[in-house]
Amino acid sequence: MFYYRIFDDKEELNFFKSSLEYPKIAEYMKEFEKTHSEYCNADFICFLKEIDKEAEIIDVTNIYY
């Protein structure tokens, strides 16, 4: 699995995991941009999930000690 962070047009930061390497993610982002005028992370992950069933937004929590 690969783990990524992504910002959308609303400046929301999310982290997601995917079985796809970065060059493929970048390719699918360009494809997604062709049909969307506004970018929302949740929408992109839904789009990506059609290609990669393992793709999903994940929560990342800081741990201090």
Side-chain angles (χ1 to χ4, degrees):
M1 293 301 279
F2 299 91
Y3 298 87
Y4 303 96
R5 62 182 178 174
I6 186 171
F7 287 93
D8 62 16
D9 283 351
K10 298 176 183 171
E11 296 184 13
E12 184 172 334
L13 169 65
N14 290 112
F15 294 87
F16 72 97
K17 67 178 183 175
S18 173
S19 63
L20 303 174
E21 293 186 25
Y22 180 77
K24 277 296 193 189
I25 295 290
E27 181 181 314
Y28 290 124
M29 286 181 92
K30 287 181 183 175
E31 187 176 324
F32 178 80
E33 290 172 352
K34 290 178 184 176
T35 58
H36 294 78
S37 59
E38 184 175 271
Y39 310 119
C40 174
N41 293 342
D43 292 344
F44 176 68
I45 299 303
C46 286
F47 169 82
L48 190 59
K49 203 162 184 64
E50 294 175 14
I51 301 151
D52 175 15
K53 300 292 184 208
E54 298 182 56
E56 67 178 308
I57 290 178
I58 58 172
D59 290 323
V60 175
T61 304
N62 294 327
I63 297 176
Y64 299 95
Y65 58 95

